[in-house]
Amino acid sequence: MSNSTIPTTPQGKAADFLDERLSISKAIKSNISKVFPDHWSFMLGEVALYSFIILLLSGTYLTLFFKPSMVEVIYNGPYVPLKGVKMSEAFASTLHISFDVRGGLLMRQIHHWAALFFIGAMSIHMFRVFFTGAFRKPRELNWVIGTVLVLLGIVEGFMGYSLPDDLLSGTGLRITQGIIAAVPVVGTYVSFGLFGGEFPGQDVVSRFYTLHILLIPGLILALVGAHLMMVWYQKHTQWPGPGRTENNVVGYRLFPVYTAKAGGFFFVVLGLTTLISALVTINPVWMFGPYTPDQISAGSQPDWYMGFLDGAVRVMPNWEISAFGHTLSLNLIIPAIVLPGIMTTLLGLYPFVSVD
Amino acid sequence: MSEQSNLPATHGAHDNHGGEVDYATRDERGRYILPLEEHTPRITDIDPRAAKRAERQVAWLFTLGGACLAGGVAAYVAFDSRELISVPTIGRVSASNFWLGTLIGLGSFFIGAAAIHWARRLMPGEEAVDHRHPLRGDEQSRASAIEQFKRGAAESGFLSRPLVRRTMLGAMALFPLPLVVLLGDLGPSPKEKLRHTMWGDKRMTRIVNQGSGELVRPEDMAVGGLINAIPEGLERIQEETGTQNERAKSSIILVRMNPSEIKAQQGEGWDYEGILAYSKICTHVGCPISLYQQRTHALLCPCHQSTFDLSDAGRVVFGPAARHMPQLRLGVDAEGYLVALGDFAEPVGPSFWERG
């Protein structure tokens, strides 16, 4: 037995090198045969994870060409309808990515589609966890992390589609500014702080850029790590069935079956996202044109995951209170701040208030 | 493993650690537990020719994936970013985007499909069983943890030296303060900026047609007509400041109606022979409005459907907006150009706390 662990092959020597320094044999011994239960609904979280990886990769590519600047330039690229039009460098570089960089349009569309799949998969994954009761003890904390991840995903998506500085995204920012300004006491100051003065200013794209490519993805990455570690440590839930009890996990081993299945599934998700991005246009910013605060396209809509907020803002009665020299815009505070606050608080606390 | 799990499952499957899992017929809550189903061998488990066939299928999928990826690289070289092709049902699209995306997408998909096919047909098809270990620490660990924590707490003197404790808590409470204060220069103080537009800079400001760039004369406007307009000199201010801030406040719409149709205005005689000037920036959250129904004089915001009656002092007739659209007082100058006589009487655009 002991002879077999004296390395002779190059791989053996490499493993020995690592084991002498990091005791990897212990980690491998106790993890490599870990059993995971099998069910199609367990792939929803995987879709979210893989979409996030696709977002990191495609996003990194886009940063190589995107210029997060609101300095005005005159467009002189190959897209004829906008030749000679004044626009921000952010929008001009988005056009450059779309029309001059080979694969640039593909990467933009992969990034946008993957963002939609990311939030969509997280949402459906959350439904799965909710309706199967998988958030219950001992998994309450992971439910809370999941709630925060969905919220961060929505914020990250909103900031991302604000960056190209096209007519649609600028309209979204305009609405955001109006909602921020409605916040009592500090709203005007927060708005001036975010936009570097009055709307639209010159700063919001570069500020959102930093948040979009560094701070928020960093937080998401850290929380995804924690989320997966908890799944790993607490072991995956399983559907009831023959041989399945509260005290066991029945399924296939991490190595080799799940390594191949989950690894292969990443390529399937990547492949389908890429195919859809090649065949179905999304967010054709060149058709919207650059942002200017005195123009708008009829039927402006946010991406679907902001729809509940936009809808709430639409159906709210026009209540506004003006008294003692101050204005309280209930028509915005209630649907855009109080409502999502209550929704996410209830969502996050649900495992602690629900009864088995 | 395989010979053991071919035994009738009621005799017990084998878990990761080589121990017997005892399947009682009922669990601790009295519910029946069905034994793990006996593994049904797949055709690839018993027929070497079927296994060989599956092996070839996996190899073909990998080959196809690799070929598509190589094709993607070829497409990168072959197509200029500006070349267009006609694709049935999709239309004329970028050749580079279409071929890159289709080939890389298919390549990635086939690789994933190969790995999954490999796992499903050729890797172990029997389910394995893992124990779930209790997450709660055993009594000994818990006691030891508490004891060590108590020892450390006593050694630190945190409880026995209240002076240190209280000053530390006080200092730490102040710690976030500088971090917040340092954000002060994100933007200037709002002061009165939201209350003024450049219409108030001069006693009379000529009005420029936003589309044509020409100065507006009353005779340019037919009854029922609408013009999107800006103050003369706006372009220069935009050049100087490098922002669209002024445009976001001072854009207006001009409409002309029969003077007899005007029910009310925000000031006596603010129209000029039936020509009315209203802010274009919605008082709800600031979208620019120019959807106008000349029969009803209704101005509809495309963002959240707030509707204003321009024949009735810009009154809100529908939707979530709480305030009327601010009106400008019009006149003509010595040369017969339409002019605005001073600023709006109130802030334009969305409400804010200090608005009053």
Side-chain angles (χ1 to χ4, degrees):
Chain A
M1 258 324 267
S2 61
N3 280 349
S4 68
T5 59
I6 295 168
T8 50
T9 61
Q11 303 93 303
K13 283 177 180 157
D16 182 57
F17 176 90
L18 290 174
D19 195 41
E20 297 267 356
R21 286 155 185 82
L22 301 167
S23 50
I24 58 164
S25 59
K26 269 190 209 160
I28 292 175
K29 182 191 71 176
S30 52
N31 288 310
I32 197 166
S33 294
K34 195 173 176 64
V35 169
F36 284 91
D38 210 33
H39 193 265
W40 66 264
S41 68
F42 301 160
M43 294 200 297
L44 294 165
E46 278 186 70
V47 174
L49 175 67
Y50 300 151
S51 297
F52 182 62
I53 295 170
I54 294 168
L55 285 167
L56 290 179
L57 296 174
S58 56
T60 304
Y61 182 89
L62 292 174
T63 64
L64 303 176
F65 300 99
F66 181 68
K67 297 193 178 86
S69 150
M70 291 172 86
V71 171
E72 278 199 340
V73 295
I74 305 284
Y75 181 67
N76 199 24
Y79 185 64
V80 176
L82 289 176
K83 253 191 205 304
V85 171
K86 256 198 260 178
M87 58 182 65
S88 67
E89 252 190 314
F91 189 70
S93 65
T94 307
L95 294 179
H96 176 73
I97 291 170
S98 306
F99 293 112
D100 297 274
V101 177
R102 281 174 290 175
L105 178 61
L106 183 67
M107 281 294 182
R108 264 196 60 228
Q109 303 208 133
I110 288 176
H111 199 65
H112 203 121
W113 275 117
L116 299 185
F117 295 153
F118 178 49
I119 298 172
M122 279 198 290
S123 309
I124 306 173
H125 172 61
M126 207 163 189
F127 280 120
R128 193 280 290 174
V129 171
F130 185 87
F131 286 113
T132 59
F135 57 85
R136 290 193 176 137
K137 189 188 171 190
R139 299 187 177 76
E140 304 97 320
L141 299 176
N142 228 7
W143 170 266
V144 174
I145 291 180
T147 308
V148 176
L149 278 171
V150 170
L151 288 182
L152 284 175
I154 290 173
V155 171
E156 177 72 344
F158 168 73
M159 287 190 169
Y161 79 65
S162 295
L163 291 179
D165 205 19
D166 58 286
L167 192 54
L168 186 61
S169 76
T171 303
L173 281 174
R174 170 82 250 199
I175 295 169
T176 307
Q177 189 275 332
I179 290 168
I180 293 173
V183 176
V185 187
V186 294
T188 317
Y189 287 85
V190 174
S191 167
F192 270 62
L194 176 61
F195 291 91
E198 286 182 85
F199 178 85
Q202 246 185 339
D203 297 323
V204 68
V205 166
S206 54
R207 287 177 182 176
F208 269 19
Y209 186 67
T210 305
L211 298 174
H212 179 78
I213 70 161
L214 181 71
L215 185 67
I216 298 178
L219 289 174
I220 292 178
L221 196 58
L223 288 174
V224 165
H227 201 67
L228 294 176
M229 279 163 67
M230 279 167 80
V231 169
W232 194 277
Y233 186 71
Q234 297 181 328
K235 295 189 177 158
H236 206 288
T237 50
Q238 64 190 352
W239 289 82
R244 276 93 174 141
T245 72
E246 300 279 320
N247 304 316
N248 71 7
V249 189
V250 182
Y252 299 98
R253 297 192 191 285
L254 174 69
F255 189 73
V257 174
Y258 265 107
T259 311
K261 272 189 162 182
F265 190 50
F266 168 76
F267 284 95
V268 168
V269 173
L270 173 63
L272 292 179
T273 306
T274 308
L275 268 179
I276 289 168
S277 305
L279 303 177
V280 189
T281 302
I282 191 164
N283 202 24
V285 289
W286 56 89
M287 292 170 82
F288 310 146
Y291 180 62
T292 169
D294 58 357
Q295 280 173 35
I296 193 164
S297 54
S300 291
Q301 305 267 358
D303 271 355
W304 65 268
Y305 46 85
M306 301 293 284
F308 77 101
L309 274 183
D310 200 53
V313 168
R314 286 180 201 216
V315 300
M316 182 69 197
N318 63 344
W319 300 340
E320 182 177 289
I321 297 170
S322 278
F324 310 110
H326 292 294
T327 301
L328 191 64
S329 305
L330 296 174
N331 55 348
L332 293 171
I333 295 167
I334 291 174
I337 295 160
V338 176
L339 175 84
I342 291 174
M343 276 174 62
T344 51
T345 307
L346 283 181
L347 201 59
L349 292 183
Y350 189 78
F352 305 101
V353 299
S354 78
V355 182
D356 281 14
Chain B
M1 186 70 213
S2 63
E3 63 180 281
Q4 286 163 335
S5 60
N6 281 339
L7 294 171
T10 39
H11 291 190
H14 287 257
D15 70 9
N16 252 352
H17 312 283
E20 285 270 321
V21 182
D22 184 25
Y23 289 112
T25 48
R26 290 176 187 240
D27 69 4
E28 65 273 18
R29 286 156 81 174
R31 295 173 300 193
Y32 280 104
I33 301 172
L34 295 171
L36 194 61
E37 278 165 351
E38 203 174 328
H39 172 61
T40 317
R42 299 162 299 187
I43 180 96
T44 45
D45 290 331
I46 45 182
D47 181 358
R49 280 184 325 190
K52 199 71 199 165
R53 198 159 55 233
E55 185 185 328
R56 281 196 302 270
Q57 288 163 346
V58 171
W60 267 113
L61 285 169
F62 274 129
T63 309
L64 215 51
C68 286
L69 292 183
V73 174
Y76 186 87
V77 179
F79 297 106
D80 183 57
S81 65
R82 300 172 196 188
E83 218 167 304
L84 298 177
I85 49 161
S86 288
V87 182
T89 76
I90 296 181
R92 281 188 77 68
V93 291
S94 155
S96 168
N97 183 68
F98 176 78
W99 283 114
L100 266 179
T102 305
L103 290 169
I104 295 174
L106 286 174
S108 182
F109 178 82
F110 286 135
I111 289 174
I116 293 171
H117 195 56
W118 180 8
R120 290 174 60 93
R121 290 297 156 87
L122 298 170
M123 292 182 189
E126 302 142 51
E127 288 177 317
V129 181
D130 247 357
H131 273 308
R132 285 183 198 277
H133 302 288
L135 293 164
R136 186 180 189 272
D138 59 52
E139 289 308 322
Q140 200 189 343
S141 308
R142 286 157 70 106
S144 166
I146 291 167
E147 184 206 310
Q148 292 186 57
F149 180 80
K150 280 186 174 161
R151 178 185 49 74
E155 285 170 355
S156 75
F158 188 77
L159 293 175
S160 56
R161 298 185 199 280
L163 186 63
V164 172
R165 183 175 73 239
R166 286 172 195 158
T167 49
M168 184 195 84
L169 291 177
M172 291 310 286
L174 289 176
F175 187 71
L177 205 60
L179 303 181
V180 175
V181 169
L182 283 172
L183 296 175
D185 274 346
L186 275 176
S189 178
K191 297 209 173 72
E192 299 295 299
K193 291 191 186 72
L194 293 175
R195 296 184 188 276
H196 305 295
T197 73
M198 68 177 287
W199 294 108
D201 290 353
K202 290 188 287 184
R203 204 172 54 79
M204 282 188 189
T205 310
R206 286 178 176 171
I207 299 171
V208 178
N209 183 318
Q210 190 257 335
S212 68
E214 284 170 9
L215 290 169
V216 180
R217 289 170 167 278
E219 57 269 29
D220 297 339
M221 291 202 69
V223 169
L226 175 144
I227 290 179
N228 295 299
I230 51 175
E232 185 185 24
L234 176 67
E235 302 287 352
R236 187 177 41 75
I237 286 185
Q238 195 161 325
E239 291 286 300
E240 282 169 13
T241 60
T243 73
Q244 303 196 82
N245 295 0
E246 193 53 50
R247 187 181 291 271
K249 287 195 296 187
S250 57
S251 292
I252 57 166
I253 43 169
L254 295 169
V255 292
R256 186 165 202 169
M257 54 189 83
N258 251 320
S260 62
E261 291 176 308
I262 300 175
K263 287 179 224 139
Q265 300 189 56
Q266 287 166 26
E268 193 61 42
W270 278 17
D271 69 311
Y272 180 80
E273 295 178 353
I275 302 176
L276 299 160
Y278 281 99
S279 166
K280 191 180 174 169
I281 310 302
C282 186
T283 58
H284 181 222
V285 276
C287 290
I289 316 182
S290 50
L291 290 173
Y292 177 61
Q293 195 175 37
Q294 52 155 300
R295 267 169 182 277
T296 57
H297 313 297
L299 186 71
L300 171 76
C301 182
C303 286
H304 303 99
Q305 289 76 46
S306 292
T307 310
F308 307 86
D309 184 350
L310 298 190
S311 70
D312 193 7
R315 183 173 64 90
V316 181
V317 289
F318 178 78
R323 289 179 294 100
H324 63 204
M325 295 297 273
Q327 189 184 359
L328 272 185
R329 184 179 171 197
L330 292 179
V332 288
D333 66 6
E335 288 162 67
Y337 289 111
L338 198 64
V339 291
L341 304 170
D343 207 346
F344 296 99
E346 59 197 288
V348 298
S351 293
F352 50 97
W353 174 247
E354 300 86 350
R355 186 180 181 281

